[in-house]
Amino acid sequence: MGTWVRRIGWSVVAQGASSIPNFGLYAVMASTLTPSNFGRFVALMAVYHLVLAVARSAIFETFVTDSVRSVGRARFTGRSSQAVALALGGSVAIAVVGVMVGSPRSSWLVMGAAMLPLLVQDGLRHLGWASGRVWFPVALDVLWTAVFATGLVVRSVQGESWMVTGVEAGRAESFVLGFWVAGGVAGAVVGSLLWALLNRLPPVSVDSPSKSVGEVDSSAVRLMGRSQAIQSTAFNLLPLVIAVAVSPAAASAIKAVLLPFTPILTTVAGTRLVTLPAMRRAVAEGRLAIDRLTVSVVGVGAGFAVVGGLGIVAVLTWLPLGAPGSALEYSRTVVWWGLAITTMSVVNKFLADALALGRRNVPVIWMRLAALSIEWAVLVAVVSTRPGANVAVVWAVGLALGSLVWVAPTVVGRPGPPTKAASLQIAGRLGLD
């Protein structure tokens, strides 16, 4: 139990530390920029998050799944060349999108130049997990947060106004973004030096999967990884498509809907470091075992999203966050719809994992594409033809319809409530017995 509790704790801490600088950046921008300016900023950052999602699914997450071989210098060097290629392509894409949506030149120049070190920082975080040094990614993200916070303090001490428009909006955006990038670059530099030092020390033992787990890995885990990679790519691509195809203001609304609920989504992402191994072990025991575990995991995940989301609703309702006319003010007006979208996203994530790992002979990739097509079709069609439509409401409807793709095959043939013995087995798989 102690090992699993520590793993859960470190996964949540690591995800939380990683999300603080990102959440802080978006929160500051949403509070200070007008919806149109925030939408341009979201489109620019969407390119970075898209490149990061591709790098994680294709390169960095393999460090964790293949930890024994990935921490070696030869394997790391080979993967680094792929990261460099992605960074160069991302820098070009940022420049193109920045010009298309009218972002401040200084902003897309800074982001383009920083693409490679930002990818290096994230790659080092995953190497830390792969090598068993779970404190390593936390340290890098704490450094990033400290540098970024210093920039916010400097701006406050200078007495600069936070809610700005016109030329001042571009200067404020570049100033805040510059310190955020500086934190990531500092993490890449310090992390590279520290990693070189750690490689001189005896290696830390890493978990080696059992034979039964390895037998499940070959096809099911790859399928699950591809499904989640498609979802992550689409999630980061959506605001960019909306900004270019519809308007920056619509892209601003897309980002603002889920911005307050980022801590919940980040925490859930961290718990998958625990739920995925548990699901893999359950698959080896048969469909009944994975179904019962899925019901428990989905129930706990949905409960956490609802309870945590209600707390966020209360905060946004009672506290006057967001200047008038800012994107964060829109977040307050649609907070209940944001809670609904967050809860559905959490449920869909766990259902998709279970279907992919459970080997139900279902076309998971095609199901993922179908769910995304339904969600996007509803959202893009309505928002582009009716500019006055509430983006949050339309998105919630599209996501609900797309969720049926995951719910329907899960409900069919679902087992009854687990017995006491089955409940104890589920707790054991999660390390909570």
Side-chain angles (χ1 to χ4, degrees):
M1 175 178 177
T3 301
W4 278 103
V5 170
R6 285 194 298 271
R7 287 177 64 87
I8 294 173
W10 275 112
S11 66
V12 173
V13 170
Q15 290 294 327
S18 175
S19 69
I20 288 175
N22 290 328
F23 177 73
L25 175 66
Y26 280 105
V28 170
M29 293 301 186
S31 301
T32 60
L33 300 178
T34 63
S36 294
N37 287 333
F38 182 65
R40 295 184 179 92
F41 170 78
V42 167
L44 194 68
M45 294 299 295
V47 180
Y48 159 69
H49 289 296
L50 180 61
V51 173
L52 185 63
V54 174
R56 284 178 174 177
S57 60
I59 307 172
F60 301 152
E61 289 181 354
T62 61
F63 292 158
V64 179
T65 57
D66 191 15
S67 58
V68 175
R69 293 187 297 166
S70 294
V71 295
R73 186 180 303 275
R75 177 66 63 90
F76 179 54
T77 302
R79 302 287 174 85
S80 297
S81 61
Q82 300 175 27
V84 170
L86 276 175
L88 293 177
S91 297
V92 174
I94 281 181
V96 173
V97 171
V99 173
M100 289 180 62
V101 301
S103 293
R105 179 181 300 177
S106 55
S107 293
W108 57 259
L109 284 176
V110 167
M111 280 303 302
M115 181 65 74
L116 179 57
L118 293 182
L119 289 188
V120 170
Q121 193 270 356
D122 199 68
L124 289 169
R125 291 179 67 254
H126 284 77
L127 280 175
W129 273 107
S131 65
R133 300 180 176 98
V134 292
W135 56 268
F136 188 75
V138 177
L140 296 185
D141 289 322
V142 168
L143 175 60
W144 192 337
T145 301
V147 174
F148 177 56
T150 300
L152 299 183
V153 171
V154 169
R155 182 169 177 81
S156 297
V157 171
Q158 290 177 345
E160 297 288 345
S161 173
W162 285 101
M163 188 62 189
V164 290
T165 57
V167 176
E168 289 300 321
R171 294 175 180 173
E173 176 183 318
S174 301
F175 182 89
V176 175
L177 183 61
F179 269 91
W180 180 83
V181 165
V185 173
V189 174
V190 174
S192 297
L193 296 175
L194 184 57
W195 182 255
L197 177 63
L198 291 174
N199 277 340
R200 298 181 180 179
L201 302 176
V204 179
S205 61
V206 295
D207 297 334
S208 57
S210 63
K211 183 177 180 180
S212 62
V213 173
E215 291 172 352
V216 176
D217 282 358
S218 58
S219 60
V221 172
R222 285 198 298 270
L223 191 64
M224 180 274 300
R226 291 168 185 166
S227 172
Q228 292 297 346
I230 294 173
Q231 192 278 333
S232 179
T233 301
F235 181 80
N236 291 291
L237 189 61
L238 179 60
L240 177 59
V241 172
I242 295 295
V244 175
V246 183
S247 69
S252 170
I254 289 289
K255 189 65 180 182
V257 171
L258 290 185
L259 179 60
F261 301 93
T262 300
I264 293 177
L265 296 173
T266 301
T267 302
V268 169
T271 60
R272 292 179 72 240
L273 295 173
V274 177
T275 59
L276 287 179
M279 287 182 177
R280 287 158 57 188
R281 285 193 299 274
V283 168
E285 300 177 21
R287 174 171 176 175
L288 187 62
I290 182 62
D291 277 349
R292 285 176 171 169
L293 179 61
T294 300
V295 171
S296 299
V297 171
V298 169
V300 172
F304 171 74
V306 171
V307 173
L310 288 176
I312 293 174
V313 170
V315 170
L316 289 182
T317 302
W318 295 335
L319 296 182
L321 301 176
S326 66
L328 190 57
E329 185 185 36
Y330 174 75
S331 299
R332 298 177 60 207
T333 63
V334 296
V335 64
W336 287 104
W337 292 104
L339 173 58
I341 294 173
T342 299
T343 304
M344 285 187 287
S345 298
V346 170
V347 171
N348 290 348
K349 182 181 292 292
F350 288 130
L351 291 181
D353 284 343
L355 286 171
L357 294 176
R359 296 190 178 190
R360 303 284 191 81
N361 294 321
V362 293
V364 175
I365 300 300
W366 288 108
M367 291 171 64
R368 172 67 69 186
L369 295 175
L372 289 172
S373 297
I374 295 171
E375 177 186 348
W376 279 43
V378 173
L379 181 59
V380 175
V382 175
V383 173
S384 59
T385 56
R386 300 185 61 183
N390 191 317
V391 173
V393 177
V394 178
W395 191 7
V397 172
L399 182 58
L401 294 175
S403 299
L404 296 177
V405 173
W406 306 115
V407 174
T410 302
V411 172
V412 175
R414 183 179 67 84
T419 63
K420 182 178 180 180
S423 298
L424 292 176
Q425 291 179 356
I426 291 172
R429 294 190 190 97
L430 292 174
L432 302 177
D433 53 345

